[in-house]
Amino acid sequence: MNAHEIDYEIHGDDMQFVEVELDPEESVVAEAGGMMMMDSGIDMETIFGDGGGATKGLFEKLMGAGKRVLTGESLFMTVFTNIGHGKKKVSFAAPYPGKIIPMDLDELGGKIVCQKDSFLCAAKGVSIGIDFQKKLGTGFFGGEGFIMQKLEGDGLAFLHAGGTIIRKDLQPGEVLKVDTGCLVAMTRDVDYNIEYVGKVKTALFGGEGLFFATLKGPGSVWVQSLPFSRLAERVLVNATVPGKKRDEGGILGGLGDLFGDR
């Protein structure tokens, strides 16, 4: 594979966007709806499948599209190509607070396995597919499901995850235990499995769930501090009932509702 060699700059702190600079005839592939802004002279084209290359036949494109459906993504992706003269820029915005992570696949062994909704954009030539976990326990109990995305190639790809992101480089045989929702991505050699917490009281009352992910080196792992599912859950729990004011600073808190007007 020879992906397009794109340049980039990441702007912002918690609500980031990545600005990709394209030379003439260079392209970047992104999820539908991810574009924030672009210069004139950049052409947008919707493609069917995973965007892994223009030389694929119809059957391969159908297979790529089918794999994307399994991960819950759209059947289509968008290719942005510089058809003008000189350098042009196109920007892609993060969908919620967090960080954008640049991944140079050429330096990471040519493959990254990641959460199905973490992909933001990539240089054209990077293939976006699915990665089946080897163990059924991972599928039935893992917070991110049996199917995860894989990015393959030798170009730049950009992931997005919530909160603060940390990279852990694991030595051979070294094991890291992670909340299943906090796992963002890992290199191809990391062994990924699901383990039961082992204590019923901890599982029921600890608030951490019944299972966690065990990641065994060698390889690199990216972990997020605030999974979107956790953020969405907190928002729903604390959402204000329509037409009703909630006193966050009240002494009685929610108990005040018991004595309010009915």
Side-chain angles (χ1 to χ4, degrees):
M1 296 182 181
N2 289 301
H4 292 190
E5 297 182 5
I6 60 176
D7 298 314
Y8 73 93
E9 184 177 359
I10 295 175
H11 299 270
D13 186 16
D14 293 323
M15 292 296 292
Q16 295 184 324
F17 71 92
V18 57
E19 183 180 63
V20 177
E21 185 177 77
L22 301 174
D23 291 327
E25 303 304 320
E26 281 187 344
S27 301
V28 61
V29 182
E31 291 286 358
M35 193 273 291
M36 172 183 169
M37 60 182 176
M38 64 182 181
D39 293 339
S40 61
I42 290 183
D43 177 67
M44 282 176 43
E45 180 186 4
T46 300
I47 59 173
F48 184 69
D50 66 2
T55 59
K56 290 185 176 182
L58 177 61
F59 179 74
E60 290 176 301
K61 290 182 178 180
L62 288 172
M63 288 293 291
K67 291 176 181 179
R68 287 178 54 74
V69 171
L70 287 175
T71 64
E73 305 293 346
S74 168
L75 280 171
F76 302 95
M77 299 188 75
T78 307
V79 178
F80 299 82
T81 304
N82 181 359
I83 60 173
H85 301 287
K87 298 179 181 293
K88 304 291 182 181
K89 295 179 180 180
V90 56
S91 300
F92 303 93
Y96 56 90
K99 302 294 182 184
I100 294 175
I101 318 164
M103 299 277 193
D104 189 337
L105 298 183
D106 191 39
E107 297 178 356
L108 296 170
K111 177 182 175 181
I112 284 289
V113 178
C114 60
Q115 279 188 10
K116 63 183 181 181
D117 58 352
S118 62
F119 172 72
L120 186 62
C121 62
K124 188 174 182 182
V126 173
S127 176
I128 300 96
I130 60 172
D131 187 78
F132 287 95
Q133 299 299 332
K134 299 176 182 178
K135 302 176 180 66
L136 287 178
T138 301
F140 292 128
F141 305 115
E144 303 309 320
F146 181 62
I147 301 171
M148 296 182 74
Q149 276 191 329
K150 64 179 178 181
L151 308 177
E152 294 180 296
D154 55 6
L156 277 169
F158 299 89
L159 305 182
H160 176 264
T164 300
I165 314 301
I166 185 172
R167 172 176 172 170
K168 302 283 287 186
D169 295 316
L170 304 179
Q171 300 302 314
E174 183 180 359
V175 175
L176 180 68
K177 297 180 180 181
V178 180
D179 180 277
T180 53
C182 290
L183 176 62
V184 178
M186 55 190 167
T187 52
R188 66 191 311 159
D189 295 327
V190 174
D191 183 47
Y192 174 61
N193 200 3
I194 294 295
E195 283 190 12
Y196 174 56
V197 295
K199 298 178 181 179
V200 176
K201 183 171 69 173
T202 301
L204 294 179
F205 305 110
E208 303 300 334
L210 294 173
F211 302 90
F212 51 72
T214 58
L215 309 166
K216 185 177 181 181
S220 297
V221 176
W222 288 262
V223 181
Q224 62 182 336
S225 64
L226 183 61
F228 180 71
S229 57
R230 188 179 298 176
L231 174 63
E233 181 181 359
R234 291 296 179 93
V235 171
L236 289 174
V237 168
N238 293 281
T240 303
V241 178
K244 188 174 183 180
K245 182 179 178 181
R246 174 173 177 164
D247 273 331
E248 294 290 347
I251 296 176
L252 295 178
L255 292 177
D257 293 339
L258 296 175
F259 305 100
D261 295 333
R262 295 184 180 275

